[in-house]
Amino acid sequence: MKDVRKVVIPVAGWGTRSLPATKNIPKEMLPIYNKPVIQYVVEEAIRAGIKDVIFVTNRDKAVIEDHFDYNLQLEGVLERAGKEDKLKIVRDVAEMVNIMSVRQKKQLGLGHAILCAKELVHGDPFAIMVGDDLMFGGIPGIGQLIEVAMSENMPVVGVMEVPWDKVSKYGIIDGEEVAPGVYRVRDMVEKPNREDAPSRLAIVGRYVLTPDIFEYLEKVKPGKGGEIQLTDALQMLAKDRGMMAVRMSGMRFDAGDWAEFLTANVYFALQDEELRYELLGLLKNFVQFQ
Ligand code: G1P
């Protein structure tokens, strides 16, 4: 397989789980400590050697692209004020990655969002990172998948074990473990009932795919919830071509879940040496009165 240099990040969803915060702000721009959610996702891609980012957007999401572009007016203000450190922070974000974007004009599902990126992917192997899923610790999440995709020359999905009462929120795989944490995928099903789930290995928003997925996305029929499901196209690809799954190591936060979003905020704030001490003091006081 050729090197994976592109990532498709679908960002056209409504973010209804995070209302009212997301009424006028894309969910991807909500801050976790001092950066928007989307910046963590892009930084994970960079650490895995990816420089080209394709956002699948809608009309209300331009601010996401702007975040990764220069803001000359702000830079001028910071320069004149002699705030060199702040100037560096805003410039670094603009220089992180190459940005491309395509509109998903109708919200027809995750599979449809990925299909919208077909022309920009241009026949190369590519990664997909779902913007709600934040991965931390150890080897960058998407990097773990790229390693297996390159060595096996096969598409790969990232999975994690979830409790049985959560399987209906995810795509679930049925696989044979061929090496520790590496599975050959036999089948997969989108958001099954607990009784129908073949395992509790859930797909967690990280994929490395070959461009033949687009042929399947073009012919797949609407599935769960009447949407064009990526999982349904992957299921066909797995049967025809073969597919691997990697049990991902590290921590995962679902940014669309308030408890996990807030935990992620505390986790990142605690990494900041200057803030850590003060924050722990405040939290201790606060917890006492609960
Ligand atoms: C999507 C996929 C699902 C996957 C999940 C991971 O679902 O359809 O297979 O497990 O992302 O976050 P969504 O969360 O968009 O409903």
Side-chain angles (χ1 to χ4, degrees), residues 17 110 130 132-133 169-172 189-191 202-207 227 229-231 252 254:
R17 286 191 294 165
L110 179 60
V130 171
D132 288 347
D133 277 318
K169 295 171 87 182
Y170 295 94
I172 301 290
V189 49
E190 179 67 7
K191 304 198 174 93
I203 301 174
V204 289
R206 296 290 181 274
Y207 312 77
E227 296 189 344
Q229 295 290 352
L230 177 60
T231 304
R252 164 178 177 259
D254 175 0

Side-chain angles (χ1 to χ4, degrees), residues 83-107:
K83 294 188 173 163
E84 292 297 324
D85 49 341
K86 303 280 182 218
L87 183 62
K88 181 172 174 349
I89 290 172
V90 298
R91 276 201 184 139
D92 281 354
V93 183
E95 286 166 4
M96 268 179 188
V97 278
N98 306 317
I99 297 295
M100 286 165 270
S101 70
V102 59
R103 290 274 179 106
Q104 184 186 19
K105 296 183 191 167
K106 292 181 182 172
Q107 310 285 297

Side-chain angles (χ1 to χ4, degrees), residues 21 29 76 94 127 142 165 170 181 214 220 227 234 240 262 289:
M29 291 305 291
I142 196 68
D165 62 351
Y170 295 94
F214 293 115
V220 76
E227 296 189 344
L234 289 173
D240 288 356
L262 294 168
F289 293 104

